[in-house]
Protein backbone atom coordinates (compact mmCIF):
# COMPACT_ATOMS: atom_id res chain seq x y z
CA UNK A 1 0.00 0.00 0.00
CA UNK A 2 2.87 2.40 0.77
CA UNK A 3 3.60 3.88 -2.67
CA UNK A 4 0.24 3.05 -4.22
CA UNK A 5 -1.72 5.82 -2.51
CA UNK A 6 0.96 8.37 -3.40
CA UNK A 7 0.88 7.29 -7.00
CA UNK A 8 -2.88 7.72 -7.28
CA UNK A 9 -2.34 11.45 -7.20
CA UNK A 10 -1.29 12.72 -10.60
CA UNK A 11 0.12 16.17 -9.93
CA UNK A 12 1.16 17.12 -13.43
CA UNK A 13 3.95 14.55 -13.14
CA UNK A 14 5.40 16.19 -10.08
CA UNK A 15 6.26 14.25 -6.92
CA UNK A 16 3.56 14.00 -4.23
CA UNK A 17 5.61 16.12 -1.87
CA UNK A 18 3.54 19.14 -2.89
CA UNK A 19 0.57 18.03 -0.79
CA UNK A 20 1.35 20.46 2.02
CA UNK A 21 0.55 23.74 0.29
CA UNK A 22 -2.94 25.14 0.40
CA UNK A 23 -5.43 27.65 1.72
CA UNK A 24 -8.67 27.34 3.66
CA UNK A 25 -11.84 26.89 1.69
CA UNK A 26 -13.48 30.13 0.61
CA UNK A 27 -16.35 28.69 -1.39
CA UNK A 28 -19.92 29.07 -0.16
CA UNK A 29 -21.32 26.74 -2.79
CA UNK A 30 -22.76 23.44 -1.53
CA UNK A 31 -20.97 20.27 -2.55
CA UNK A 32 -22.75 17.80 -4.84
CA UNK A 33 -21.98 14.16 -5.72
CA UNK A 34 -20.37 15.36 -8.96
CA UNK A 35 -18.52 18.47 -7.75
CA UNK A 36 -16.66 19.48 -4.60
CA UNK A 37 -15.99 23.18 -4.06
CA UNK A 38 -13.26 25.27 -2.46
CA UNK A 39 -10.72 22.53 -1.72
CA UNK A 40 -6.94 22.62 -1.89
CA UNK A 41 -5.64 19.08 -2.26
CA UNK A 42 -7.80 15.99 -1.97
CA UNK A 43 -6.15 12.70 -0.93
CA UNK A 44 -7.79 9.29 -1.34
CA UNK A 45 -7.96 7.07 1.73
CA UNK A 46 -7.46 3.28 1.59
CA UNK A 47 -11.07 2.78 2.77
CA UNK A 48 -12.53 4.78 -0.14
CA UNK A 49 -12.92 8.14 1.60
CA UNK A 50 -11.00 11.39 1.10
CA UNK A 51 -8.98 13.83 3.20
CA UNK A 52 -8.15 17.46 2.51
CA UNK A 53 -4.71 18.94 3.08
CA UNK A 54 -3.77 22.59 3.42
CA UNK A 55 -5.07 25.42 5.55
CA UNK A 56 -5.96 25.00 9.19
CA UNK A 57 -8.84 22.52 8.90
CA UNK A 58 -8.61 18.71 8.58
CA UNK A 59 -11.71 17.55 6.71
CA UNK A 60 -12.83 14.05 5.70
CA UNK A 61 -15.31 12.73 3.17
CA UNK A 62 -16.54 9.30 4.32
CA UNK A 63 -16.83 6.50 1.72
CA UNK A 64 -19.97 7.19 -0.29
CA UNK A 65 -20.52 10.49 1.52
CA UNK A 66 -21.70 13.73 -0.05
CA UNK A 67 -20.25 16.32 2.32
CA UNK A 68 -16.85 16.80 3.94
CA UNK A 69 -16.92 16.94 7.74
CA UNK A 70 -14.34 18.66 9.92
CA UNK A 71 -12.27 16.39 12.16
CA UNK A 72 -10.16 19.13 13.74
CA UNK A 73 -9.05 22.70 13.15
CA UNK A 74 -6.12 24.65 14.59
CA UNK A 75 -6.56 28.36 13.82
CA UNK A 76 -3.55 30.23 12.42
CA UNK A 77 -1.71 26.96 11.79
CA UNK A 78 -1.17 24.90 8.62
CA UNK A 79 -2.15 21.25 8.23
CA UNK A 80 0.67 19.75 6.17
CA UNK A 81 1.03 15.99 6.85
CA UNK A 82 -1.71 13.32 6.99
CA UNK A 83 -1.96 9.53 6.81
CA UNK A 84 -4.81 7.02 6.94
CA UNK A 85 -5.37 3.27 6.96
CA UNK A 86 -7.99 0.77 5.76
CA UNK A 87 -9.88 1.05 9.04
CA UNK A 88 -10.44 4.76 8.36
CA UNK A 89 -8.13 5.99 11.13
CA UNK A 90 -6.39 9.29 10.47
CA UNK A 91 -3.08 10.73 11.69
CA UNK A 92 -2.36 14.42 11.12
CA UNK A 93 0.30 17.02 11.90
CA UNK A 94 0.07 20.80 11.82
CA UNK A 95 3.20 22.85 11.21
CA UNK A 96 3.39 24.78 14.50
CA UNK A 97 1.47 22.48 16.84
CA UNK A 98 3.62 20.25 19.05
CA UNK A 99 1.39 17.17 18.79
CA UNK A 100 0.45 14.44 16.36
CA UNK A 101 -3.34 14.05 16.17
CA UNK A 102 -4.81 10.54 15.95
CA UNK A 103 -8.49 10.04 15.07
CA UNK A 104 -9.89 6.54 15.48
CA UNK A 105 -13.07 4.53 16.03
CA UNK A 106 -16.79 5.23 15.75
CA UNK A 107 -17.67 7.65 17.23
CA UNK A 108 -14.35 9.32 16.62
CA UNK A 109 -11.82 9.52 19.43
CA UNK A 110 -9.22 12.26 19.23
CA UNK A 111 -5.88 11.26 20.75
CA UNK A 112 -2.82 13.50 20.85
CA UNK A 113 0.73 12.19 20.77
CA UNK A 114 3.87 14.32 21.18
CA UNK A 115 5.94 14.87 18.08
CA UNK A 116 9.43 13.33 18.35
CA UNK A 117 11.95 15.83 19.66
CA UNK A 118 15.48 16.43 18.33
CA UNK A 119 17.86 13.84 19.82
CA UNK A 120 20.63 16.46 20.20
CA UNK A 121 20.85 20.22 20.68
CA UNK A 122 22.71 20.65 17.37
CA UNK A 123 19.46 20.11 15.42
CA UNK A 124 17.00 22.93 14.76
CA UNK A 125 13.81 23.50 12.72
CA UNK A 126 12.81 19.88 13.43
CA UNK A 127 9.61 19.19 11.45
CA UNK A 128 7.48 16.22 10.41
CA UNK A 129 8.46 15.03 6.94
CA UNK A 130 5.90 12.27 6.51
CA UNK A 131 3.51 9.98 8.40
CA UNK A 132 2.42 6.38 7.80
CA UNK A 133 0.49 3.70 9.67
CA UNK A 134 2.44 0.47 10.14
CA UNK A 135 0.84 -2.87 9.38
CA UNK A 136 0.84 -4.05 13.00
CA UNK A 137 -1.90 -1.51 13.79
CA UNK A 138 -0.10 -0.44 16.97
CA UNK A 139 2.56 1.94 15.65
CA UNK A 140 3.08 4.70 13.12
CA UNK A 141 6.18 5.70 11.19
CA UNK A 142 7.18 9.33 11.57
CA UNK A 143 9.93 10.84 9.44
CA UNK A 144 11.39 14.00 10.93
CA UNK A 145 13.57 16.52 9.10
CA UNK A 146 15.85 19.19 10.51
CA UNK A 147 19.00 21.23 10.11
CA UNK A 148 22.29 20.65 11.86
CA UNK A 149 24.56 23.37 13.20
CA UNK A 150 26.54 24.95 11.66
CA UNK A 151 25.19 23.55 8.36
CA UNK A 152 23.66 20.45 6.86
CA UNK A 153 20.37 18.56 6.82
CA UNK A 154 19.30 15.56 8.88
CA UNK A 155 16.47 13.04 8.35
CA UNK A 156 15.43 10.73 11.21
CA UNK A 157 12.82 7.94 11.17
CA UNK A 158 10.91 6.98 14.34
CA UNK A 159 8.50 4.23 15.25
CA UNK A 160 5.86 5.90 17.44
CA UNK A 161 3.42 3.72 19.48
CA UNK A 162 -0.21 4.81 19.24
CA UNK A 163 -0.67 4.07 22.95
CA UNK A 164 1.57 7.01 23.84
CA UNK A 165 4.79 5.05 24.43
CA UNK A 166 8.24 6.49 23.80
CA UNK A 167 9.31 6.86 20.13
CA UNK A 168 11.96 4.43 18.86
CA UNK A 169 14.70 5.88 16.62
CA UNK A 170 15.03 3.59 13.59
CA UNK A 171 17.68 5.32 11.47
CA UNK A 172 19.32 8.68 10.87
CA UNK A 173 20.61 10.08 7.56
CA UNK A 174 22.91 13.09 7.47
CA UNK A 175 23.88 15.26 4.50
CA UNK A 176 21.47 13.42 2.21
CA UNK A 177 18.73 14.77 -0.03
CA UNK A 178 15.54 12.74 0.27
CA UNK A 179 14.31 11.44 -3.09
CA UNK A 180 11.31 9.36 -2.03
CA UNK A 181 9.77 8.27 1.21
CA UNK A 182 6.99 5.81 1.92
CA UNK A 183 5.90 3.49 4.69
CA UNK A 184 8.48 0.81 3.89
CA UNK A 185 11.26 2.53 1.94
CA UNK A 186 13.14 5.83 1.96
CA UNK A 187 15.64 6.85 -0.74
CA UNK A 188 18.44 9.37 -0.30
CA UNK A 189 20.92 11.04 -2.61
CA UNK A 190 24.27 11.47 -0.83
CA UNK A 191 26.61 14.21 -2.13
CA UNK A 192 30.36 13.68 -2.21
CA UNK A 193 30.99 16.66 0.08
CA UNK A 194 28.72 17.86 2.90
CA UNK A 195 29.08 21.52 1.88
CA UNK A 196 28.34 21.13 -1.85
CA UNK A 197 25.02 22.22 -3.39
CA UNK A 198 22.64 19.28 -3.66
CA UNK A 199 19.22 20.17 -5.01
CA UNK A 200 16.76 19.17 -7.71
CA UNK A 201 18.85 20.58 -10.57
CA UNK A 202 22.28 19.31 -9.56
CA UNK A 203 24.21 17.41 -6.90
CA UNK A 204 27.58 17.03 -8.63
CA UNK A 205 29.41 14.88 -7.70
CA UNK A 206 27.21 12.15 -6.19
CA UNK A 207 28.73 9.80 -3.64
CA UNK A 208 25.85 7.33 -3.52
CA UNK A 209 22.13 6.64 -3.76
CA UNK A 210 20.97 4.60 -0.77
CA UNK A 211 17.75 2.94 0.38
CA UNK A 212 16.51 2.27 3.90
CA UNK A 213 13.92 -0.52 4.08
CA UNK A 214 11.75 -1.17 7.12
CA UNK A 215 11.40 -4.97 7.29
CA UNK A 216 10.09 -7.50 9.81
CA UNK A 217 13.71 -8.04 10.87
CA UNK A 218 14.62 -4.38 11.28
CA UNK A 219 16.05 -1.69 9.03
CA UNK A 220 17.92 -2.80 5.90
CA UNK A 221 20.42 -0.45 4.24
CA UNK A 222 21.09 -0.95 0.51
CA UNK A 223 23.46 1.00 -1.74
CA UNK A 224 21.67 1.39 -5.08
CA UNK A 225 24.43 3.37 -6.75
CA UNK A 226 28.09 3.85 -5.88
CA UNK A 227 29.43 7.13 -7.25
CA UNK A 228 32.96 5.74 -7.39
CA UNK A 229 31.87 3.12 -9.93
CA UNK A 230 29.39 5.27 -11.88
CA UNK A 231 30.04 9.00 -12.19
CA UNK A 232 26.69 10.70 -11.57
CA UNK A 233 25.88 14.40 -11.20
CA UNK A 234 22.25 14.01 -10.08
CA UNK A 235 19.35 11.63 -9.57
CA UNK A 236 15.61 12.33 -9.78
CA UNK A 237 12.54 10.21 -9.16
CA UNK A 238 10.42 9.04 -12.08
CA UNK A 239 6.81 8.79 -10.94
CA UNK A 240 3.79 6.94 -12.25
CA UNK A 241 3.84 3.26 -11.31
CA UNK A 242 1.53 2.08 -8.54
CA UNK A 243 3.55 -0.92 -7.38
CA UNK A 244 6.68 -0.91 -5.20
CA UNK A 245 9.23 -0.48 -8.01
CA UNK A 246 11.61 2.47 -7.85
CA UNK A 247 12.65 4.39 -10.97
CA UNK A 248 15.38 7.02 -11.04
CA UNK A 249 16.64 9.27 -13.83
CA UNK A 250 20.44 9.51 -13.54
CA UNK A 251 22.44 12.42 -14.99
CA UNK A 252 25.84 11.20 -16.23
CA UNK A 253 28.89 12.76 -17.84
CA UNK A 254 28.66 14.53 -21.24
CA UNK A 255 24.90 15.02 -20.84
CA UNK A 256 24.32 11.27 -20.99
CA UNK A 257 21.51 9.72 -18.98
CA UNK A 258 20.55 6.37 -17.48
CA UNK A 259 17.52 4.88 -15.73
CA UNK A 260 17.85 3.02 -12.46
CA UNK A 261 15.23 0.35 -11.68
CA UNK A 262 15.00 -1.36 -8.30
CA UNK A 263 12.52 -3.38 -6.26
CA UNK A 264 12.65 -3.36 -2.45
CA UNK A 265 14.33 -6.50 -1.21
CA UNK A 266 16.67 -6.81 -4.19
CA UNK A 267 20.41 -6.67 -3.33
CA UNK A 268 21.22 -4.24 -6.16
CA UNK A 269 19.62 -2.01 -8.77
CA UNK A 270 19.52 -2.37 -12.55
CA UNK A 271 20.98 0.59 -14.47
CA UNK A 272 20.44 0.96 -18.23
CA UNK A 273 21.34 3.73 -20.74
CA UNK A 274 18.62 6.23 -21.60
CA UNK A 275 18.38 8.89 -24.37
CA UNK A 276 19.81 12.33 -23.73
CA UNK A 277 17.62 15.17 -22.50
CA UNK A 278 15.48 16.24 -25.46
CA UNK A 279 13.33 19.22 -24.45
CA UNK A 280 12.04 21.22 -21.51
CA UNK A 281 8.62 19.92 -22.57
CA UNK A 282 9.78 16.40 -21.73
CA UNK A 283 8.02 14.39 -19.02
CA UNK A 284 9.04 10.94 -17.80
CA UNK A 285 6.51 8.44 -16.50
CA UNK A 286 7.04 4.94 -15.07
CA UNK A 287 4.72 1.94 -15.43
CA UNK A 288 4.12 -1.26 -13.49
CA UNK A 289 5.58 -3.31 -16.36
CA UNK A 290 8.95 -1.61 -15.90
CA UNK A 291 8.64 0.71 -18.89
CA UNK A 292 9.62 4.38 -18.82
CA UNK A 293 7.52 6.65 -21.01
CA UNK A 294 9.24 9.73 -22.41
CA UNK A 295 6.53 12.24 -23.36
CA UNK A 296 7.33 15.18 -25.63
CA UNK A 297 4.50 17.67 -26.02
CA UNK A 298 4.79 19.64 -29.27
CA UNK A 299 1.72 21.66 -28.29
CA UNK A 300 -0.43 22.37 -31.38
CA UNK A 301 1.28 19.67 -33.49
CA UNK A 302 1.43 16.40 -31.57
CA UNK A 303 2.23 14.55 -28.39
CA UNK A 304 4.99 12.00 -28.90
CA UNK A 305 5.39 9.08 -26.51
CA UNK A 306 8.63 7.07 -26.55
CA UNK A 307 8.18 3.82 -24.63
CA UNK A 308 11.45 2.45 -23.23
CA UNK A 309 11.29 -1.15 -22.05
CA UNK A 310 13.59 -2.72 -19.43
CA UNK A 311 15.42 -4.72 -22.13
CA UNK A 312 16.45 -1.53 -23.96
CA UNK A 313 13.88 -1.51 -26.78
CA UNK A 314 12.01 1.61 -27.81
CA UNK A 315 8.57 2.11 -29.32
CA UNK A 316 7.37 5.50 -30.55
CA UNK A 317 3.73 6.56 -30.60
CA UNK A 318 2.66 9.88 -32.14
CA UNK A 319 -0.67 11.46 -31.19
CA UNK A 320 -1.66 14.32 -33.52
CA UNK A 321 -3.20 17.29 -31.72
CA UNK A 322 -6.90 18.03 -32.00
CA UNK A 323 -7.95 19.52 -35.33
CA UNK A 324 -10.85 21.37 -33.72
CA UNK A 325 -10.21 25.11 -34.34
CA UNK A 326 -11.97 25.95 -31.06
CA UNK A 327 -9.51 23.88 -29.03
CA UNK A 328 -6.79 26.17 -27.69
CA UNK A 329 -5.48 24.12 -24.76
CA UNK A 330 -2.81 21.55 -25.67
CA UNK A 331 -1.06 21.23 -22.30
CA UNK A 332 -0.44 17.90 -20.62
CA UNK A 333 -2.24 18.38 -17.31
CA UNK A 334 -2.06 14.95 -15.65
CA UNK A 335 -1.79 11.25 -16.35
CA UNK A 336 -1.85 7.98 -14.49
CA UNK A 337 -2.44 4.24 -14.58
CA UNK A 338 -5.81 2.52 -14.34
CA UNK A 339 -6.35 -0.64 -12.31
CA UNK A 340 -5.87 -2.76 -15.47
CA UNK A 341 -2.50 -1.14 -16.16
CA UNK A 342 -3.73 1.04 -19.04
CA UNK A 343 -2.82 4.71 -19.25
CA UNK A 344 -5.22 7.63 -18.87
CA UNK A 345 -4.15 11.15 -19.80
CA UNK A 346 -5.66 14.61 -19.31
CA UNK A 347 -4.35 16.40 -22.42
CA UNK A 348 -5.83 19.76 -23.31
CA UNK A 349 -9.61 19.59 -22.90
CA UNK A 350 -9.73 15.82 -23.29
CA UNK A 351 -9.18 12.72 -21.22
CA UNK A 352 -7.52 10.10 -23.41
CA UNK A 353 -8.17 6.43 -22.61
CA UNK A 354 -5.43 4.09 -23.83
CA UNK A 355 -5.33 0.36 -24.31
CA UNK A 356 -2.71 -1.60 -22.39
CA UNK A 357 -0.98 -1.79 -25.79
CA UNK A 358 0.01 1.83 -26.43
CA UNK A 359 0.25 1.23 -30.18
CA UNK A 360 -3.54 0.90 -30.40
CA UNK A 361 -5.56 4.03 -30.99
CA UNK A 362 -6.75 5.76 -27.82
CA UNK A 363 -10.21 7.20 -27.39
CA UNK A 364 -10.94 10.73 -26.21
CA UNK A 365 -13.61 12.13 -23.91
CA UNK A 366 -14.15 15.90 -23.85
CA UNK A 367 -14.14 17.45 -20.38
CA UNK A 368 -14.31 21.01 -21.70
CA UNK A 369 -17.94 21.42 -20.44
CA UNK A 370 -16.59 21.21 -16.87
CA UNK A 371 -14.93 24.62 -17.30
CA UNK A 372 -16.91 27.76 -16.67
CA UNK A 373 -16.03 31.43 -17.03
CA UNK A 374 -12.70 32.38 -15.40
CA UNK A 375 -11.74 28.83 -14.53
CA UNK A 376 -8.88 26.69 -15.77
CA UNK A 377 -7.43 23.23 -15.30
CA UNK A 378 -5.50 22.84 -12.06
CA UNK A 379 -2.95 20.30 -13.38
CA UNK A 380 -4.09 17.78 -10.79
CA UNK A 381 -6.39 14.77 -10.92
CA UNK A 382 -7.24 12.13 -8.34
CA UNK A 383 -7.79 8.59 -9.60
CA UNK A 384 -9.98 6.21 -7.59
CA UNK A 385 -10.10 2.48 -8.38
CA UNK A 386 -13.45 1.44 -6.87
CA UNK A 387 -15.73 2.62 -8.30
CA UNK A 388 -13.40 3.77 -11.07
CA UNK A 389 -13.59 7.56 -11.09
CA UNK A 390 -11.39 10.53 -11.98
CA UNK A 391 -11.71 13.69 -9.89
CA UNK A 392 -10.34 16.54 -12.05
CA UNK A 393 -9.04 19.69 -10.38
CA UNK A 394 -10.30 23.08 -11.61
CA UNK A 395 -8.84 26.41 -10.47
CA UNK A 396 -11.58 28.81 -9.41
CA UNK A 397 -10.09 32.12 -8.25
CA UNK A 398 -7.96 31.35 -5.19
CA UNK A 399 -9.75 28.08 -4.56
CA UNK A 400 -10.02 24.75 -6.31
CA UNK A 401 -12.96 22.57 -7.28
CA UNK A 402 -12.86 18.85 -8.05
CA UNK A 403 -15.25 17.47 -10.67
CA UNK A 404 -16.18 13.78 -10.62
CA UNK A 405 -15.93 11.98 -13.97
CA UNK A 406 -16.76 8.24 -13.92
CA UNK A 407 -14.72 6.05 -16.24
CA UNK A 408 -17.89 4.17 -17.18
CA UNK A 409 -19.26 7.43 -18.60
CA UNK A 410 -16.01 8.17 -20.43
CA UNK A 411 -15.83 4.64 -21.87
CA UNK A 412 -19.40 4.96 -23.13
CA UNK A 413 -19.03 8.36 -24.81
CA UNK A 414 -15.34 8.53 -25.79
CA UNK A 415 -14.59 8.88 -29.49
CA UNK A 416 -11.61 7.42 -31.37
CA UNK A 417 -8.63 9.73 -31.64
CA UNK A 418 -7.00 10.28 -34.99
CA UNK A 419 -4.53 7.73 -36.36
CA UNK A 420 -1.58 6.81 -34.20
CA UNK A 421 1.71 5.98 -35.89
CA UNK A 422 4.12 3.69 -34.07
CA UNK A 423 7.59 2.33 -34.77
CA UNK A 424 9.80 -0.06 -32.90
CA UNK A 425 13.54 0.45 -32.58
CA UNK A 426 16.23 -0.53 -30.16
CA UNK A 427 18.04 2.11 -28.15
CA UNK A 428 21.76 1.57 -27.85
Amino acid sequence: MSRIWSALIALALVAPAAFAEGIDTRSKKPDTPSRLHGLTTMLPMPNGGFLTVGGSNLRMLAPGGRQFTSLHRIPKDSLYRVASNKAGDVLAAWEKDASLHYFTGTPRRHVTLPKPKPPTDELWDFQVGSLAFLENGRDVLVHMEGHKKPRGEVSIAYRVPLDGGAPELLYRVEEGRQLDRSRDVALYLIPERPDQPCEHRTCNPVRAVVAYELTAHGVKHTVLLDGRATLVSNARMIWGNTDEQVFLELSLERNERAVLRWRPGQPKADIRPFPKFASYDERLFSTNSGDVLQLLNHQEEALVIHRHTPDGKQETVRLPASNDPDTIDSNLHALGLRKNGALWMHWGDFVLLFDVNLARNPRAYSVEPLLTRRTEWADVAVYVQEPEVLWIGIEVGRGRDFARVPFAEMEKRAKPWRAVRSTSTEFD
Side-chain angles (χ1 to χ4, degrees):
M1 184 191 76
S2 53
R3 294 188 79 238
I4 293 176
W5 294 103
S6 296
L8 292 178
I9 313 297
L11 292 174
L13 308 183
V14 177
F19 293 162
E21 290 82 16
I23 56 175
D24 283 317
T25 178
R26 297 173 180 269
S27 176
K28 301 298 183 182
K29 295 181 180 179
D31 293 336
T32 69
S34 61
R35 192 144 181 155
L36 302 174
H37 298 279
L39 302 181
T40 50
T41 296
M42 190 169 72
L43 301 183
M45 301 170 63
N47 71 345
F50 290 95
L51 294 171
T52 62
V53 180
S56 61
N57 196 7
L58 171 62
R59 297 196 296 161
M60 184 181 73
L61 181 67
R66 300 183 59 175
Q67 291 284 97
F68 274 88
T69 59
S70 177
L71 293 182
H72 191 59
R73 182 173 183 266
I74 300 181
K76 299 182 180 180
D77 205 343
S78 177
L79 171 68
Y80 74 128
R81 299 290 183 261
V82 297
S84 60
N85 59 19
K86 291 182 179 180
D89 299 333
V90 177
L91 188 68
W94 279 257
E95 187 174 2
K96 301 175 184 177
D97 188 72
S99 299
L100 302 173
H101 297 261
Y102 173 44
F103 304 88
T104 183
T106 304
R108 288 279 172 178
R109 290 189 300 114
H110 180 187
V111 180
T112 58
L113 306 168
K115 290 179 181 177
K117 295 182 178 180
T120 60
D121 293 337
E122 63 179 342
L123 300 183
W124 57 281
D125 193 24
F126 207 51
Q127 295 286 344
V128 176
S130 67
L131 302 168
F133 284 91
L134 296 181
E135 283 191 334
N136 62 18
R138 302 184 304 271
D139 306 315
V140 293
L141 183 67
V142 181
H143 279 104
M144 301 294 296
E145 298 174 342
H147 298 275
K148 184 178 67 172
K149 299 176 182 179
R151 63 174 59 186
E153 297 182 355
V154 177
S155 179
I156 305 178
Y158 293 90
R159 187 199 311 269
V160 178
L162 289 171
D163 62 6
E168 174 192 0
L169 195 154
L170 298 175
Y171 58 84
R172 172 173 173 161
V173 181
E174 299 196 25
E175 315 301 345
R177 178 164 67 87
Q178 177 253 320
L179 295 172
D180 187 28
R181 189 168 45 206
S182 65
R183 186 195 64 191
D184 301 324
V185 178
L187 302 177
Y188 294 91
L189 180 65
I190 310 299
E192 181 63 38
R193 302 183 311 276
D195 60 343
Q196 77 181 55
C198 187
E199 53 190 15
H200 179 73
R201 297 184 64 179
T202 184
C203 189
N204 190 27
V206 171
R207 181 195 303 171
V209 175
V210 299
Y212 289 84
E213 295 180 72
L214 189 61
T215 72
H217 306 289
V219 177
K220 181 181 178 182
H221 174 263
T222 304
V223 177
L224 304 185
L225 180 143
D226 186 343
R228 295 171 297 181
T230 305
L231 297 180
V232 174
S233 61
N234 205 2
R236 302 179 186 88
M237 290 296 300
I238 302 174
W239 306 98
N241 59 299
T242 57
D243 60 7
E244 299 299 321
Q245 290 184 90
V246 169
F247 295 78
L248 288 176
E249 173 197 2
L250 304 179
S251 299
L252 310 178
E253 294 183 297
R254 298 184 296 274
N255 292 324
E256 299 288 342
R257 290 194 296 182
V259 166
L260 179 151
R261 294 175 174 88
W262 177 71
R263 283 186 180 274
Q266 292 181 336
K268 63 179 183 179
D270 177 75
I271 300 177
R272 299 290 180 97
F274 195 77
K276 292 183 178 181
F277 178 77
S279 166
Y280 285 105
D281 290 325
E282 176 194 80
R283 297 288 187 271
L284 301 182
F285 185 86
S286 55
T287 72
N288 294 349
S289 61
D291 299 337
V292 173
L293 306 182
Q294 180 187 22
L295 299 102
L296 300 172
N297 190 11
H298 299 308
Q299 299 294 322
E300 293 85 2
E301 296 180 6
L303 178 68
V304 178
I305 305 175
H306 299 293
R307 172 175 168 257
H308 300 272
T309 62
D311 59 5
K313 293 183 179 180
Q314 175 181 308
E315 179 184 77
T316 299
V317 178
R318 187 176 187 275
L319 301 175
S322 171
N323 57 6
D324 185 344
D326 294 329
T327 299
I328 60 174
D329 189 337
S330 55
N331 294 318
L332 180 57
H333 298 290
L335 77 162
L337 293 177
R338 300 177 64 179
K339 58 185 178 181
N340 65 354
L343 186 73
W344 62 263
M345 178 189 299
H346 182 189
W347 181 33
D349 292 333
F350 299 90
V351 172
L352 268 60
L353 305 176
F354 290 81
D355 189 85
V356 175
N357 181 358
L358 279 178
R360 295 180 179 175
N361 286 3
R363 293 179 300 139
Y365 176 85
S366 175
V367 289
E368 191 272 338
L370 297 177
L371 293 178
T372 57
R373 186 182 180 190
R374 296 180 180 176
T375 64
E376 60 184 3
W377 303 120
D379 291 344
V380 58
V382 180
Y383 172 78
V384 180
Q385 286 190 358
E386 296 293 344
E388 199 176 23
V389 167
L390 194 64
W391 289 89
I392 300 178
I394 301 172
E395 299 290 6
V396 184
R398 294 187 60 194
R400 178 178 296 167
D401 289 0
F402 281 88
R404 183 180 186 271
V405 186
F407 274 84
E409 174 71 13
M410 290 192 282
E411 292 279 9
K412 180 180 178 181
R413 301 186 180 279
K415 299 179 180 179
W417 200 253
R418 288 192 292 152
V420 175
R421 297 194 300 270
S422 63
T423 58
S424 294
T425 59
E426 187 165 345
F427 173 72
D428 186 6

